[in-house]
Amino acid sequence: MNHHPKIESLDPDWDFASRRSIEQVEEGFELTPKFDASGTLPCITQHVESGEILMFAFMNKEALTLTIEKGLAHYWSRSRQKLWVKGETSGMRQQVHQILIDDDQDCIIIKVSLTTPTKGGNEASCHVGYRTCFYREVKVSSNKPELRFIEKDKAFDPALVYEGTANPTKL
């Protein structure tokens, strides 16, 4: 499957269309994303071949614009309050194959292929070292929820790949 190429012929001054009617948003051909009060919209990232959900993140206008223009996944980090290209530190890039938007244009799904980390390992998406960010499931045991690992092995060593980089998880 071919990846979404960087768009060379896109008008450099293009912008998202204004939302004018329900019909335009739900049935039209114009991209009119509805960003929330903080200027973001949710993005589900899915592996193009396996269909597995790799991660969930947010995009602001700039991240969505760059994802469309460059064919590489860009996100808005709410914890770090900055734009980031997936793989800018690790080398684990997400090449975009398809971008889907839901009916009222307030949620995105991107289908991607992955590259391997720059310091060894297998293709993955999660900074913890697992293939996906959804490596545990919630189970009920002894009348309380607990987590169970559904990915047993890490795809790479995060200490090696992210050496000298602060963990993005915030308490």
Side-chain angles (χ1 to χ4, degrees), residues 61-76:
K61 182 178 179 180
E62 183 180 12
L64 180 56
T65 299
L66 289 168
T67 298
I68 292 167
E69 290 178 346
K70 300 191 178 293
L72 288 173
H74 290 68
Y75 301 101
W76 175 253

Side-chain angles (χ1 to χ4, degrees), residues 47-67:
H47 194 278
V48 68
E49 292 175 5
S50 70
E52 67 193 316
I53 303 298
L54 298 172
M55 58 180 279
F56 172 87
F58 288 89
M59 289 184 172
N60 63 4
K61 182 178 179 180
E62 183 180 12
L64 180 56
T65 299
L66 289 168
T67 298

Side-chain angles (χ1 to χ4, degrees), residues 123-134:
E123 71 172 34
S125 191
C126 181
H127 76 276
V128 179
Y130 295 98
R131 180 169 166 81
T132 81
C133 293
F134 297 93

Side-chain angles (χ1 to χ4, degrees), residues 14-155:
W14 77 275
D15 200 356
F16 300 114
S18 299
R19 296 168 68 92
R20 297 183 305 277
S21 71
I22 290 173
E23 181 181 26
Q24 172 222 22
V25 169
E26 292 182 346
E27 302 282 344
F29 295 95
E30 294 177 293
L31 181 56
T32 61
K34 184 177 184 182
F35 298 95
D36 66 15
S38 64
T40 63
L41 73 158
C43 176
I44 300 163
T45 305
Q46 184 178 25
H47 194 278
V48 68
E49 292 175 5
S50 70
E52 67 193 316
I53 303 298
L54 298 172
M55 58 180 279
F56 172 87
F58 288 89
M59 289 184 172
N60 63 4
K61 182 178 179 180
E62 183 180 12
L64 180 56
T65 299
L66 289 168
T67 298
I68 292 167
E69 290 178 346
K70 300 191 178 293
L72 288 173
H74 290 68
Y75 301 101
W76 175 253
S77 171
R78 296 181 306 159
S79 60
R80 294 177 282 162
Q81 289 291 295
K82 72 174 220 154
L83 182 75
W84 57 287
V85 180
K86 181 65 177 161
E88 64 191 346
T89 303
S90 66
M92 295 181 296
R93 302 268 184 201
Q94 295 176 341
Q95 289 283 323
V96 176
H97 292 257
Q98 187 177 34
I99 303 171
L100 303 172
I101 194 158
D102 73 336
D103 54 353
D104 59 353
Q105 298 196 38
D106 67 354
C107 183
I108 296 281
I109 295 174
I110 59 174
K111 295 186 179 187
V112 303
S113 57
L114 304 171
T115 59
T116 57
T118 51
K119 295 182 181 176
N122 296 313
E123 71 172 34
S125 191
C126 181
H127 76 276
V128 179
Y130 295 98
R131 180 169 166 81
T132 81
C133 293
F134 297 93
Y135 52 88
R136 296 173 291 182
E137 70 176 332
V138 178
K139 298 293 281 185
V140 176
S141 177
S142 302
N143 294 325
K144 68 176 188 169
E146 57 184 38
L147 301 178
R148 182 177 77 86
F149 282 78
I150 55 177
E151 284 188 45
K152 305 265 188 263
D153 300 317
K154 292 190 176 191

Side-chain angles (χ1 to χ4, degrees), residues 89-92 117-121 127 156-165:
T89 303
S90 66
M92 295 181 296
T118 51
K119 295 182 181 176
H127 76 276
F156 66 91
D157 179 357
L160 177 65
V161 171
Y162 293 105
E163 183 177 14
T165 304

